[in-house]
Amino acid sequence: MPSDIRVRFAPSPTGYLHIGGARTALFNWLFARHHGGKFVLRIEDTDIKRNTEEAMAAIYDGLQWLGLNWDEGPHVRGEFGPYLQSERTELYAKYLKKLQDTGHIFDDQGALRFRSPREHVIVDDIVCGKIDFDLSNPATHPDMTIRRPDGSWIFHFVNVIDDLEMKISHVIRGEDHLSNTPKHIEIIRALGATPPHYAHIPLILNRDGSKMSKRDEGARVEYYIRRGYLPAAVRNYLCLLGWSPKDNREKIDLDEIIRIFDLKNIGRSSATFDPDKLHWLNGEYARELSDSEFYGLAVAKLGSSGVNLDKFPETYVRAALQTCEGKINTFDELPAYCGFYFTDDLNYDPEAVTKQFTPENKPRLREVSDALRTLEQFDAAGIEATLKATAKKLGLKVGAIVHPTRLAVTGSNVGPSLYHLIEVLGKEKVLARIDHALATF
C-alpha cells in the first residue's frame, strides 16, 4: 500500500475524551504508523453552544498521555489547516456554492438541504464488507440538512468537506457512523470527487451488553490517568477491543502492534470492555517498570493523594517504595498499600483487629516485641530469623505471629513483605507501634 495514507481523528470538544474515541484514535494512529502515513487531528467544534475549553484540553491531554502524537492538527503545523472547523467556514461556503450552482441544494424554511439523488448506495467497507443502502424512499431517508437557518453547519457536510480537503485516504470510525456513510458518499459524488476508503469498527460495550456511555465511570480516559494506570497498558488493552493479533497474545509491545496491525483483523462483533482484564494487564506493565520509573510515578501519586513525603529522608522514601514494587496493579492502590510508612496515625482494619488481636495473641505480640528489642542488626534477614525462632519457642507456625505483628505495625492485614517493611520502619518505630497496639486493643 502506498505511503500517501492519511487518516484522521475528528472529535467534538463537547465532553471528556471517551474511551471509545480513544480506541478510534488509536486504530487510526496504528494504521498510519504501520503504513508510514499521516495521522491528522481535526477538532469538529461547529456546535458552539456545547463546546468547552475544558473538553478541548481533555482531548489533547488524553491523546498525549496515550502517546498518540498527531502529524497534523492543533499545535502542529500542516499544509491542510486550520484544523478547527470553526476556522474553516469560508471553505464550507465555497463548497456550498458549488452544490448550489449544480442544483443539489434547496431552501426549506431557511434551512439548506441537500437534494438526494434517490438511489441505492453501495458502501464497500473494509471491516463490514459491502452493504447496499436504499436511499430511494424520502419517508425513511429525508433530504439531509447541511446548514441550519441560523447559518451553522451540520456535521455531515463539514465532515465530508474536510475529509476531501485534507486528502483523507481512509475514514476509520465507530460503527455508529456506518448509516451516515451513504449520505456522505452522495455529497462526495455530487461534488465530482472520489470517496475515501471506509472502515467502521465495532462499538465498545459494558460487560452487561449495554453501550458504554459517558456516564459510566470507566468511560473517560481521564479516569485512568487519575487512577494511576500506565498509558502503555491502556493502549495495549484498547488495541484488543475489536482487533486481534490472531495468536491469542494479550500483552504486546507497541512496536510489534504497529508492525502487524491490519484493518482486516478487526472483527465485526462488538467488543466487551472488561475492567478486571485491564487491571490485570496494567499490573503486568507495572512489574516491568525500572526502579526510577516506579519511584517517580509512586511519589507523584502519593503526593496527589495528600501524603506529605517532604517530612521523610529520600533514602527512607526510596526504601519504603522499593518494598511495593511488583505488588500493585495500579498506582491509586499505593496510598492504602504503603501509607503506614508515612504516618503514625494508623487506621486499624476493624475486621482484622477482631481476628488478630485476640487474648491468646496479645502475649505472643509481647514475645515478638521482646525478641525484636534484642536485635542488634535490624535487617530483614535478622527479623525473619527472629520471628521464626519466636514462633518455634511458642510452639506455633510462623504465620500465627506474622499476621498480628503485621496488623500492629501497619494497621492492615495486607501489604509489603513483613520482614522488609519492619526493616524500613526501623526498630524504634516498630516497637512503639506494637506497644501502642497492645495498649489500645
Side-chain angles (χ1 to χ4, degrees), residues 5-69:
I5 296 294
R6 291 177 58 81
V7 295
R8 49 68 166 181
F9 176 53
S12 299
T14 55
Y16 293 96
L17 180 59
H18 189 273
I19 203 75
R23 195 270 309 257
T24 298
L26 174 60
F27 280 16
N28 277 278
W29 184 88
L30 287 169
F31 186 72
R33 294 294 172 264
H34 176 80
H35 292 290
K38 300 289 187 184
F39 173 59
V40 179
L41 176 62
R42 185 174 77 221
I43 304 297
E44 300 198 333
D45 61 342
T46 54
D47 192 345
I48 297 169
K49 292 178 182 176
R50 295 177 60 214
N51 295 336
T52 69
E53 288 296 323
E54 186 183 18
M56 193 101 75
I59 292 168
Y60 300 146
D61 292 346
L63 293 178
Q64 287 168 345
W65 182 75
L66 285 165
L68 305 183
N69 55 309

Side-chain angles (χ1 to χ4, degrees), residues 88-221:
R88 297 171 66 84
T89 52
E90 290 182 11
L91 181 70
Y92 306 141
K94 183 183 82 172
Y95 275 89
L96 172 63
K97 187 173 188 310
K98 188 173 181 180
L99 289 175
Q100 286 174 322
D101 290 347
T102 49
H104 289 95
I105 302 295
F106 68 95
D107 187 294
D108 180 12
Q109 296 179 327
L112 297 183
R113 291 181 179 269
F114 174 78
R115 197 186 309 278
S116 171
R118 296 292 158 218
E119 60 188 4
H120 285 251
V121 176
I122 305 292
V123 176
D124 191 1
D125 193 276
I126 296 170
V127 175
C128 304
K130 285 189 178 182
I131 304 173
D132 184 342
F133 289 89
D134 181 3
L135 306 188
S136 61
N137 186 351
T140 55
H141 292 89
D143 290 318
M144 171 174 44
T145 300
I146 64 171
R147 199 177 74 178
R148 301 180 185 90
D150 65 3
S152 60
W153 301 100
I154 295 292
F155 152 79
H156 299 290
F157 180 63
V158 295
N159 181 276
V160 162
I161 301 309
D162 286 340
D163 284 345
L164 292 176
E165 278 286 313
M166 294 180 181
K167 302 189 184 304
I168 300 302
S169 64
H170 292 71
V171 172
I172 306 166
R173 59 189 177 189
E175 197 175 47
D176 49 338
H177 287 291
L178 181 58
S179 60
N180 296 327
T181 305
K183 304 172 189 175
H184 297 177
I185 290 175
E186 282 190 326
I187 295 175
I188 292 169
R189 286 176 178 166
L191 290 166
T194 303
H197 300 284
Y198 292 98
H200 288 87
I201 59 182
L203 299 180
I204 298 176
L205 303 180
N206 292 310
R207 283 185 289 196
D208 63 2
S210 62
K211 185 178 176 182
M212 205 172 191
S213 75
K214 289 185 178 180
R215 290 185 298 275
D216 294 320
E217 187 181 40
R220 300 176 174 186
V221 171

Side-chain angles (χ1 to χ4, degrees), residues 30-31 53 61-63 132 158 181 184 196 202 206 233 239 243 257 264 281 285 311 326 365 405 422 424:
L30 287 169
F31 186 72
E53 288 296 323
D61 292 346
L63 293 178
D132 184 342
V158 295
T181 305
H184 297 177
N206 292 310
C239 285
W243 173 81
I257 295 172
K264 292 175 182 174
L281 187 61
Y285 274 89
K311 299 186 296 183
L365 262 179
T405 302
I422 286 178
V424 173

Side-chain angles (χ1 to χ4, degrees), residues 153-316:
W153 301 100
I154 295 292
F155 152 79
H156 299 290
F157 180 63
V158 295
N159 181 276
V160 162
I161 301 309
D162 286 340
D163 284 345
L164 292 176
E165 278 286 313
M166 294 180 181
K167 302 189 184 304
I168 300 302
S169 64
H170 292 71
V171 172
I172 306 166
R173 59 189 177 189
E175 197 175 47
D176 49 338
H177 287 291
L178 181 58
S179 60
N180 296 327
T181 305
K183 304 172 189 175
H184 297 177
I185 290 175
E186 282 190 326
I187 295 175
I188 292 169
R189 286 176 178 166
L191 290 166
T194 303
H197 300 284
Y198 292 98
H200 288 87
I201 59 182
L203 299 180
I204 298 176
L205 303 180
N206 292 310
R207 283 185 289 196
D208 63 2
S210 62
K211 185 178 176 182
M212 205 172 191
S213 75
K214 289 185 178 180
R215 290 185 298 275
D216 294 320
E217 187 181 40
R220 300 176 174 186
V221 171
E222 178 268 338
Y223 169 82
Y224 300 96
I225 300 175
R226 178 167 41 85
R227 284 201 55 195
Y229 278 77
L230 298 170
V234 176
R235 191 172 55 217
N236 186 159
Y237 184 67
L238 289 178
C239 285
L240 303 176
L241 293 178
W243 173 81
S244 169
K246 297 300 183 187
D247 55 10
N248 296 321
R249 278 182 294 170
E250 293 183 319
K251 186 175 181 295
I252 318 173
D253 181 75
L254 180 61
D255 290 339
E256 172 69 1
I257 295 172
I258 291 171
R259 187 182 71 79
I260 64 176
F261 187 79
D262 190 338
L263 293 176
K264 292 175 182 174
N265 288 342
I266 295 176
R268 285 288 289 114
S269 56
S270 297
T272 301
F273 192 94
D274 185 346
D276 295 335
K277 197 169 196 177
L278 173 55
H279 189 253
W280 164 81
L281 187 61
N282 198 80
E284 295 297 298
Y285 274 89
R287 280 178 269 286
E288 291 183 348
L289 294 171
S290 67
D291 290 348
S292 60
E293 287 171 331
F294 186 91
Y295 179 77
L297 291 166
V299 166
K301 172 49 69 175
L302 290 170
S304 67
S305 302
V307 179
N308 184 4
L309 299 178
D310 295 337
K311 299 186 296 183
F312 303 92
E314 186 183 335
T315 52
Y316 174 80

Side-chain angles (χ1 to χ4, degrees), residues 333-341 343 345-357 365 399 401-418 421-422 425 433 437 441:
E333 298 168 11
L334 202 56
Y337 190 78
C338 73
F340 64 87
Y341 281 122
T343 180
D345 185 19
L346 301 182
N347 292 314
Y348 291 90
D349 180 342
E351 193 176 321
V353 166
T354 303
K355 186 176 180 181
Q356 300 298 344
F357 290 160
L365 262 179
I401 60 172
V402 160
H403 298 304
T405 302
R406 174 186 293 281
L407 183 61
V409 298
T410 70
S412 173
N413 57 0
V414 294
S417 158
L418 179 65
L421 75 83
I422 286 178
L425 284 170
R433 290 187 180 186
F441 302 101

